[in-house]
Amino acid sequence: MDEKELLRTVPLFSELSDADITSLGRLASRRRYPKDTVVFFENEEGDFFFMIVEGRIKVTILGDDGREIILSMLGPGDFFGEMALLDNEPRSATAIAVEESELLSLHRTDFQGTIGDNPAISAALIKVLSTRLRRANHQISTLALLDVYGRVARVILDMAREEGRRLKDGRIAFRRATHQEIANRIGTTRETVTRMLKDLERQGLVKIEGRELVLQPGFEKAFD
Ligand code: CMP
């Protein structure tokens, strides 16, 4: 696929005319990032906007003690790096490719020109930012209002709803994230997550089936 066809896969640009997509395609650069490569660090100056063609990008904040809190996992069709270009502040978080990824990037001038010329894109952008703010509010309430047991359960439910699939019997199955990843979403330790998961399993609320974790009936009701 060429840059133009790749841009068509980004929902943000779905409103663009063919001519606009073609000219934007000429301005975009394409690059592959091996697994575990940093795209940029928090607090750096940033001049590029990124779109994910393939792979997974972790948006994360690192504490001084090396602990991290995962803000979001983004996948194909998603974008990131817009904030530094919109408010002229440094990067608000670090972006890391957690799988080999292919990204398209646009320079600040071209990004600003595109949204300036296309109100439909600005509207689409604001919609995505609102959704992200809702998720962030949800994350704040999870962290501030629930005890650690509730946090583990809530983050599993969120991940299952975002990434999982509904089985015919209504249960949700999703990839078994590592205990470290779950811990890093809620600022706790891997050992705590392991302990809580065992407990949830003992209560019959989650079940491990092959490479997947399956939320059992009652889980959603208990932790929504
Ligand atoms: P920027 O600040 O340029 O660099 C870090 C990027 O991470 C930011 O732009 C957003 O694209 C993205 N980002 C920051 N916070 C969140 C969040 N809470 N949810 C999803 N993406 C985020």
Side-chain angles (χ1 to χ4, degrees), residues 142-159:
T142 298
L143 294 176
L145 302 177
L146 301 180
D147 61 15
V148 71
Y149 185 80
R151 284 186 219 165
V152 171
R154 175 76 84 78
V155 78
I156 288 173
L157 182 58
D158 292 343
M159 289 169 83

Side-chain angles (χ1 to χ4, degrees), residues 6-67:
L6 293 177
L7 279 172
R8 276 265 171 250
T9 67
V10 179
L12 185 65
F13 296 129
S14 62
E15 298 289 319
L16 278 183
S17 69
D18 220 42
D20 284 344
I21 278 273
T22 306
S23 49
L24 199 59
R26 289 202 197 98
L27 302 170
S29 319
R30 178 175 177 177
R31 205 181 129 189
R32 290 195 83 81
Y33 291 76
K35 183 175 183 315
D36 297 329
T37 324
V38 173
V39 182
F40 54 69
F41 284 103
E42 182 185 354
N43 291 326
E44 276 178 8
E45 296 296 317
D47 281 319
F48 287 91
F49 168 78
F50 294 90
M51 293 149 282
I52 307 174
V53 176
E54 199 185 298
R56 265 177 5 121
I57 300 292
K58 176 169 75 172
V59 177
T60 188
I61 290 184
L62 295 173
D64 290 338
D65 58 359
R67 283 207 321 187

Side-chain angles (χ1 to χ4, degrees), residues 63-103:
D64 290 338
D65 58 359
R67 283 207 321 187
E68 74 166 0
I69 175 122
I70 300 176
L71 298 178
S72 191
M73 284 285 190
L74 302 173
D78 290 333
F79 61 82
F80 61 98
E82 76 294 343
M83 287 169 61
L85 311 189
L86 293 170
D87 66 6
N88 291 314
E89 294 286 332
R91 294 296 190 195
S92 61
T94 298
I96 302 174
V98 286
E99 286 170 9
E100 183 178 345
S101 301
E102 182 163 339
L103 305 181

Side-chain angles (χ1 to χ4, degrees), residues 169 171 204-205 214-221:
D169 58 16
R171 296 179 306 155
L205 289 169
V214 184
L215 306 190
Q216 300 302 299
F219 190 102
E220 283 187 82
K221 220 169 152 206

